[in-house]
Amino acid sequence: MQFEQLKTSTGQTMEGPLLMTPRCFGDDRGWFFESWNRRSFDEAVGETVVFSQDNHSRSIQGVLRGLHYQLAPEPQAKLVRATVGAIYDVAVDIRRGSPTFGSWVGAELSAENKSQLWIPEGFAHGFLTLSSVAEVQYKARGFWNKSCERAIVWNDADLAIAWPIERLEGAEVSLSGKDAEASGFQAAASAGDVFP
């Protein structure tokens, strides 16, 4: 398994999120890869991670889910991968004390590249479905808790996330009602709905 820190749009390395790419062994019969190994994962992230639940979603092209996060007392960390199709996955640093507060990183995750993105607590998360359909599976540390759940609008001007909308082949961005009505980044920060 290869682990890589990602850079923000300004070229700054962001502490926290890690792109994980497995070694895949294949021949004319098919392929095999180790999708997760607790020992190497814990070593890469620098702590022992105990996952609480696994989630699985299916989305059609253009569906954008996010930017979601949970505050204390039930923050969530996620290890995200696409097992069918392709997505553009984004993590936004919402840790007020971080040098990259308000910055984002993104990576394409697909069934083909088999990469995963580790998104620790303190980050908002969202993804855009690039393929005709995508299935996304993720392990979560921390249980879902509606009262802790928050969202930041996907196209916030202050965040200026470079979503690859040109890859949608004419499909429109599709949002849930909750995501369409999410607050902006500055409003969330002013309300204290970020991490210290």
Side-chain angles (χ1 to χ4, degrees), residues 1 14 81 89 92 100 128 175 192:
M1 187 77 69
M14 185 177 285
R81 67 181 176 143
D89 207 42
V92 177
T100 53
L128 174 64
L175 304 169

Side-chain angles (χ1 to χ4, degrees), residues 29-30 48 50 54 57 120 191:
R29 300 169 302 146
T48 300
V50 177
D54 281 3
S57 71

Side-chain angles (χ1 to χ4, degrees), residues 7 12 27 59 69 105 116 126:
K7 295 189 182 297
Q12 195 173 6
D27 57 28
S59 304
Y69 60 102
V105 292
Q116 300 178 63

